[in-house]
Amino acid sequence: MAYDDNNIFARILRGEIPCKKIYEDAHTLAFEDINPAAPVHTLVIPKGKYVSATDFSEKASEVEIVAFNRAIHKVVALKGVADAGYRLIANAGLNGGQEVPHFHIHIIGGRPLGAMVQRK
Ligand code: 5GP
């Protein structure tokens, strides 16, 4: 899938749409999810143009991958959920329920989150 320059997170990165920023470095931006699923729901995105987790792992440089992973855990600390626990989610593609085609990790916490996935 080709990267869509008009996806909502690309527009946030360009400053065309506001966000509640939590953390930023040369390679990464983290901001609050507009429709939080829990008391803590922060999105972490690479600044590079990657559609999905697979795209990121295949095409990003080692510097970007390390920066992204470190940033996730800086945000976990900033949001104060490291000790109580949290969940990292990367939805991908149709079955994964990915809505925004710019790779992102959800950091979710602040309450017990229950089962990882509904068993049907
Ligand atoms: P996905 O389903 O792609 O894994 O998650 C996309 C997430 O982006 C959703 O949780 C949704 O609430 C969030 N989102 C969608 N549009 C916006 C927006 O304009 N601003 C922010 N901060 N979050 C958004």
Side-chain angles (χ1 to χ4, degrees):
M1 184 186 183
Y3 184 82
D4 171 10
D5 272 313
N6 283 319
N7 79 74
I8 205 98
F9 294 169
R11 298 186 67 200
I12 285 175
L13 281 167
R14 290 197 295 268
E16 295 168 8
I17 294 176
C19 70
K20 190 168 175 209
K21 191 193 297 184
I22 298 297
Y23 173 83
E24 182 171 16
D25 64 30
H27 301 288
T28 313
L29 178 69
F31 53 91
E32 301 294 26
D33 195 292
I34 204 166
N35 184 21
V40 171
H41 190 165
T42 305
L43 303 171
V44 187
I45 71 174
K47 289 186 173 178
K49 298 180 179 184
Y50 304 106
V51 174
S52 66
T54 301
D55 196 29
F56 183 70
S57 77
E58 287 175 354
K59 296 183 190 150
S61 68
E62 290 179 15
V63 168
E64 287 172 288
I65 290 171
V66 169
F68 187 67
N69 277 278
R70 291 254 156 80
I72 289 168
H73 296 283
K74 284 177 184 162
V75 176
V76 163
L78 284 169
K79 296 300 296 183
V81 293
D83 289 345
Y86 57 91
R87 187 169 291 161
L88 304 181
I89 298 175
N91 296 318
L94 206 56
N95 281 357
Q98 182 178 5
E99 291 169 10
V100 179
H102 180 115
F103 174 45
H104 52 281
I105 292 279
H106 300 250
I107 299 173
I108 300 179
R111 66 168 170 79
L113 295 170
M116 182 173 66
V117 175
Q118 275 188 329
R119 297 179 189 276
K120 289 188 177 169

